[in-house]
PDB file of all heavy atoms in Angstrom:
ATOM      1  N   GLU A 359     -53.257   7.930 -39.194  1.00  0.00           N
ATOM      2  CA  GLU A 359     -52.850   7.012 -38.139  1.00  0.00           C
ATOM      3  C   GLU A 359     -54.026   6.195 -37.635  1.00  0.00           C
ATOM      4  O   GLU A 359     -53.905   4.997 -37.335  1.00  0.00           O
ATOM      5  CB  GLU A 359     -52.215   7.810 -36.998  1.00  0.00           C
ATOM      6  CG  GLU A 359     -51.800   6.994 -35.779  1.00  0.00           C
ATOM      7  CD  GLU A 359     -50.647   6.049 -36.090  1.00  0.00           C
ATOM      8  OE1 GLU A 359     -50.039   6.201 -37.179  1.00  0.00           O
ATOM      9  OE2 GLU A 359     -50.355   5.189 -35.251  1.00  0.00           O
ATOM     10  N   LEU A 360     -55.237   6.847 -37.545  1.00  0.00           N
ATOM     11  CA  LEU A 360     -56.425   6.121 -37.085  1.00  0.00           C
ATOM     12  C   LEU A 360     -56.789   5.026 -38.073  1.00  0.00           C
ATOM     13  O   LEU A 360     -57.090   3.882 -37.659  1.00  0.00           O
ATOM     14  CB  LEU A 360     -57.590   7.115 -36.929  1.00  0.00           C
ATOM     15  CG  LEU A 360     -58.916   6.520 -36.471  1.00  0.00           C
ATOM     16  CD1 LEU A 360     -58.768   5.874 -35.101  1.00  0.00           C
ATOM     17  CD2 LEU A 360     -59.999   7.604 -36.424  1.00  0.00           C
ATOM     18  N   ASP A 361     -56.721   5.331 -39.387  1.00  0.00           N
ATOM     19  CA  ASP A 361     -57.023   4.286 -40.379  1.00  0.00           C
ATOM     20  C   ASP A 361     -56.029   3.136 -40.271  1.00  0.00           C
ATOM     21  O   ASP A 361     -56.401   1.955 -40.339  1.00  0.00           O
ATOM     22  CB  ASP A 361     -56.968   4.904 -41.785  1.00  0.00           C
ATOM     23  CG  ASP A 361     -58.068   5.941 -41.995  1.00  0.00           C
ATOM     24  OD1 ASP A 361     -59.086   5.899 -41.222  1.00  0.00           O
ATOM     25  OD2 ASP A 361     -57.919   6.798 -42.885  1.00  0.00           O
ATOM     26  N   ARG A 362     -54.706   3.483 -40.078  1.00  0.00           N
ATOM     27  CA  ARG A 362     -53.707   2.428 -39.953  1.00  0.00           C
ATOM     28  C   ARG A 362     -53.924   1.571 -38.717  1.00  0.00           C
ATOM     29  O   ARG A 362     -53.824   0.343 -38.757  1.00  0.00           O
ATOM     30  CB  ARG A 362     -52.297   3.045 -39.899  1.00  0.00           C
ATOM     31  CG  ARG A 362     -51.170   2.021 -39.924  1.00  0.00           C
ATOM     32  CD  ARG A 362     -49.835   2.689 -39.718  1.00  0.00           C
ATOM     33  NE  ARG A 362     -49.743   3.241 -38.382  1.00  0.00           N
ATOM     34  CZ  ARG A 362     -49.476   2.508 -37.275  1.00  0.00           C
ATOM     35  NH1 ARG A 362     -49.276   1.205 -37.392  1.00  0.00           N
ATOM     36  NH2 ARG A 362     -49.405   3.079 -36.101  1.00  0.00           N
ATOM     37  N   LEU A 363     -54.299   2.196 -37.597  1.00  0.00           N
ATOM     38  CA  LEU A 363     -54.520   1.467 -36.350  1.00  0.00           C
ATOM     39  C   LEU A 363     -55.744   0.563 -36.441  1.00  0.00           C
ATOM     40  O   LEU A 363     -55.753  -0.532 -35.865  1.00  0.00           O
ATOM     41  CB  LEU A 363     -54.660   2.445 -35.185  1.00  0.00           C
ATOM     42  CG  LEU A 363     -53.379   3.186 -34.774  1.00  0.00           C
ATOM     43  CD1 LEU A 363     -53.703   4.227 -33.716  1.00  0.00           C
ATOM     44  CD2 LEU A 363     -52.348   2.202 -34.235  1.00  0.00           C
ATOM     45  N   ILE A 364     -56.779   1.017 -37.166  1.00  0.00           N
ATOM     46  CA  ILE A 364     -57.976   0.159 -37.324  1.00  0.00           C
ATOM     47  C   ILE A 364     -57.598  -1.091 -38.095  1.00  0.00           C
ATOM     48  O   ILE A 364     -57.983  -2.220 -37.734  1.00  0.00           O
ATOM     49  CB  ILE A 364     -59.092   0.953 -38.018  1.00  0.00           C
ATOM     50  CG1 ILE A 364     -59.610   2.058 -37.078  1.00  0.00           C
ATOM     51  CG2 ILE A 364     -60.229   0.030 -38.427  1.00  0.00           C
ATOM     52  CD1 ILE A 364     -60.594   3.000 -37.728  1.00  0.00           C
ATOM     53  N   GLY A 365     -56.775  -0.910 -39.174  1.00  0.00           N
ATOM     54  CA  GLY A 365     -56.332  -2.094 -39.910  1.00  0.00           C
ATOM     55  C   GLY A 365     -55.438  -2.989 -39.056  1.00  0.00           C
ATOM     56  O   GLY A 365     -55.522  -4.214 -39.082  1.00  0.00           O
ATOM     57  N   GLN A 366     -54.588  -2.372 -38.249  1.00  0.00           N
ATOM     58  CA  GLN A 366     -53.690  -3.133 -37.356  1.00  0.00           C
ATOM     59  C   GLN A 366     -54.504  -3.890 -36.296  1.00  0.00           C
ATOM     60  O   GLN A 366     -54.165  -5.029 -35.950  1.00  0.00           O
ATOM     61  CB  GLN A 366     -52.696  -2.180 -36.690  1.00  0.00           C
ATOM     62  CG  GLN A 366     -51.691  -2.858 -35.790  1.00  0.00           C
ATOM     63  CD  GLN A 366     -50.673  -1.881 -35.253  1.00  0.00           C
ATOM     64  OE1 GLN A 366     -50.461  -0.818 -35.807  1.00  0.00           O
ATOM     65  NE2 GLN A 366     -50.058  -2.247 -34.160  1.00  0.00           N
ATOM     66  N   GLN A 367     -55.596  -3.245 -35.800  1.00  0.00           N
ATOM     67  CA  GLN A 367     -56.437  -3.907 -34.801  1.00  0.00           C
ATOM     68  C   GLN A 367     -57.104  -5.142 -35.395  1.00  0.00           C
ATOM     69  O   GLN A 367     -57.195  -6.191 -34.754  1.00  0.00           O
ATOM     70  CB  GLN A 367     -57.492  -2.916 -34.291  1.00  0.00           C
ATOM     71  CG  GLN A 367     -58.438  -3.464 -33.268  1.00  0.00           C
ATOM     72  CD  GLN A 367     -57.761  -3.715 -31.939  1.00  0.00           C
ATOM     73  OE1 GLN A 367     -56.648  -3.264 -31.744  1.00  0.00           O
ATOM     74  NE2 GLN A 367     -58.406  -4.451 -31.063  1.00  0.00           N
ATOM     75  N   THR A 368     -57.538  -5.029 -36.652  1.00  0.00           N
ATOM     76  CA  THR A 368     -58.170  -6.190 -37.314  1.00  0.00           C
ATOM     77  C   THR A 368     -57.175  -7.332 -37.472  1.00  0.00           C
ATOM     78  O   THR A 368     -57.463  -8.502 -37.176  1.00  0.00           O
ATOM     79  CB  THR A 368     -58.715  -5.758 -38.691  1.00  0.00           C
ATOM     80  OG1 THR A 368     -59.630  -4.676 -38.527  1.00  0.00           O
ATOM     81  CG2 THR A 368     -59.408  -6.923 -39.368  1.00  0.00           C
ATOM     82  N   GLU A 369     -55.938  -6.979 -37.894  1.00  0.00           N
ATOM     83  CA  GLU A 369     -54.896  -7.996 -38.054  1.00  0.00           C
ATOM     84  C   GLU A 369     -54.529  -8.620 -36.714  1.00  0.00           C
ATOM     85  O   GLU A 369     -54.309  -9.826 -36.608  1.00  0.00           O
ATOM     86  CB  GLU A 369     -53.656  -7.373 -38.687  1.00  0.00           C
ATOM     87  CG  GLU A 369     -52.558  -8.404 -38.969  1.00  0.00           C
ATOM     88  CD  GLU A 369     -51.345  -7.756 -39.616  1.00  0.00           C
ATOM     89  OE1 GLU A 369     -51.375  -6.510 -39.851  1.00  0.00           O
ATOM     90  OE2 GLU A 369     -50.364  -8.484 -39.890  1.00  0.00           O
ATOM     91  N   LEU A 370     -54.537  -7.806 -35.634  1.00  0.00           N
ATOM     92  CA  LEU A 370     -54.200  -8.307 -34.301  1.00  0.00           C
ATOM     93  C   LEU A 370     -55.237  -9.310 -33.809  1.00  0.00           C
ATOM     94  O   LEU A 370     -54.896 -10.320 -33.173  1.00  0.00           O
ATOM     95  CB  LEU A 370     -54.080  -7.136 -33.314  1.00  0.00           C
ATOM     96  CG  LEU A 370     -53.668  -7.468 -31.886  1.00  0.00           C
ATOM     97  CD1 LEU A 370     -52.274  -8.100 -31.893  1.00  0.00           C
ATOM     98  CD2 LEU A 370     -53.649  -6.217 -31.034  1.00  0.00           C
ATOM     99  N   VAL A 371     -56.508  -9.075 -34.128  1.00  0.00           N
ATOM    100  CA  VAL A 371     -57.562 -10.031 -33.735  1.00  0.00           C
ATOM    101  C   VAL A 371     -57.337 -11.372 -34.418  1.00  0.00           C
ATOM    102  O   VAL A 371     -57.443 -12.441 -33.801  1.00  0.00           O
ATOM    103  CB  VAL A 371     -58.950  -9.444 -34.069  1.00  0.00           C
ATOM    104  CG1 VAL A 371     -60.044 -10.499 -33.873  1.00  0.00           C
ATOM    105  CG2 VAL A 371     -59.247  -8.216 -33.198  1.00  0.00           C
ATOM    106  N   GLU A 372     -56.987 -11.326 -35.723  1.00  0.00           N
ATOM    107  CA  GLU A 372     -56.726 -12.572 -36.445  1.00  0.00           C
ATOM    108  C   GLU A 372     -55.518 -13.307 -35.855  1.00  0.00           C
ATOM    109  O   GLU A 372     -55.527 -14.526 -35.676  1.00  0.00           O
ATOM    110  CB  GLU A 372     -56.487 -12.261 -37.914  1.00  0.00           C
ATOM    111  CG  GLU A 372     -57.699 -11.655 -38.629  1.00  0.00           C
ATOM    112  CD  GLU A 372     -57.392 -11.281 -40.061  1.00  0.00           C
ATOM    113  OE1 GLU A 372     -56.207 -11.412 -40.428  1.00  0.00           O
ATOM    114  OE2 GLU A 372     -58.302 -10.847 -40.784  1.00  0.00           O
ATOM    115  N   LEU A 528     -47.070  -5.987 -33.727  1.00  0.00           N
ATOM    116  CA  LEU A 528     -48.259  -5.135 -33.817  1.00  0.00           C
ATOM    117  C   LEU A 528     -48.461  -4.321 -32.536  1.00  0.00           C
ATOM    118  O   LEU A 528     -49.044  -3.232 -32.580  1.00  0.00           O
ATOM    119  CB  LEU A 528     -49.493  -5.974 -34.113  1.00  0.00           C
ATOM    120  CG  LEU A 528     -49.521  -6.651 -35.506  1.00  0.00           C
ATOM    121  CD1 LEU A 528     -50.706  -7.577 -35.620  1.00  0.00           C
ATOM    122  CD2 LEU A 528     -49.572  -5.593 -36.611  1.00  0.00           C
ATOM    123  N   PRO A 534     -53.222  -1.097 -29.887  1.00  0.00           N
ATOM    124  CA  PRO A 534     -53.871  -0.243 -30.896  1.00  0.00           C
ATOM    125  C   PRO A 534     -55.228   0.257 -30.449  1.00  0.00           C
ATOM    126  O   PRO A 534     -55.639   1.362 -30.778  1.00  0.00           O
ATOM    127  CB  PRO A 534     -53.967  -1.154 -32.119  1.00  0.00           C
ATOM    128  CG  PRO A 534     -52.899  -2.178 -31.903  1.00  0.00           C
ATOM    129  CD  PRO A 534     -52.827  -2.401 -30.452  1.00  0.00           C
ATOM    130  N   ILE A 538     -56.485   4.011 -30.685  1.00  0.00           N
ATOM    131  CA  ILE A 538     -57.682   4.326 -31.510  1.00  0.00           C
ATOM    132  C   ILE A 538     -58.648   5.172 -30.701  1.00  0.00           C
ATOM    133  O   ILE A 538     -59.195   6.178 -31.190  1.00  0.00           O
ATOM    134  CB  ILE A 538     -58.334   3.038 -32.010  1.00  0.00           C
ATOM    135  CG1 ILE A 538     -57.432   2.383 -33.085  1.00  0.00           C
ATOM    136  CG2 ILE A 538     -59.718   3.317 -32.579  1.00  0.00           C
ATOM    137  CD1 ILE A 538     -57.887   1.004 -33.499  1.00  0.00           C
TER     138      ILE A 538
END
Side-chain angles (χ1 to χ4, degrees):
E359 177 68 11
L360 179 61
D361 294 340
R362 186 187 67 79
L363 289 174
I364 292 173
Q366 182 176 338
Q367 180 70 12
T368 303
E369 184 179 359
L370 183 61
V371 171
E372 296 176 356
L528 293 174
I538 289 172

